[in-house]
Amino acid sequence: MSAKCRDCNAEITWARTTGRGTYIALDLYPDDRDGIVRKRDTRDENGCLWADVLTGESLHRAIANSEKLYVPHRDTCHARRPTNPMPDHVRRAVGAVRPSHRRRRW
């Protein structure tokens, strides 16, 4: 069951977590490097796949077994990503000499 993200229009798939039973949006394809979610073969009453969000030892075991792991889409969505912040050393240097944007009328 694939869909599109309403914010960035990327292809995603929905899964239901086994721990809390909440729905989670996942990237469509597995990611060997950043994946933390394992899909199961079982489906709920709505036809949505069940998935396990892995942490700690279970995540290490899944990576060692070369299992297909998926990334939650909230981690890769470009629409919700914050703007690139200015580094502190640049902010201090620019802030000291940067003129005001307001024009004063006397």
Side-chain angles (χ1 to χ4, degrees):
M1 178 169 105
S2 69
K4 289 197 179 257
C5 175
R6 65 178 173 212
D7 296 325
C8 70
N9 210 26
E11 291 282 330
I12 59 172
T13 185
W14 287 95
R16 193 168 182 184
T17 60
T18 54
R20 294 175 52 189
T22 57
Y23 290 95
I24 184 171
L26 302 173
D27 286 345
L28 196 58
Y29 300 105
D31 187 348
D32 297 335
R33 192 183 68 212
D34 295 326
I36 61 168
V37 179
R38 174 179 44 208
K39 286 185 183 178
R40 293 183 170 218
D41 292 331
T42 56
R43 294 183 178 270
D44 66 359
E45 62 276 356
N46 297 329
C48 191
L49 286 171
W50 285 90
D52 300 319
V53 179
L54 304 176
T55 58
E57 187 63 33
S58 59
L59 178 60
H60 293 295
R61 204 173 312 118
I63 292 171
N65 293 335
S66 300
E67 294 184 28
K68 290 183 180 180
L69 299 176
Y70 294 82
V71 178
H73 184 65
R74 68 175 181 265
D75 295 344
T76 60
C77 185
H78 297 291
R80 295 179 180 248
R81 191 166 288 177
T83 57
N84 192 5
M86 188 182 301
D88 288 336
H89 69 282
V90 174
R91 185 186 321 271
R92 285 191 298 269
V94 171
V97 295
R98 187 174 181 183
S100 174
H101 290 288
R102 288 190 211 163
R103 290 188 147 171
R104 295 186 183 192
R105 295 183 187 197
W106 301 99

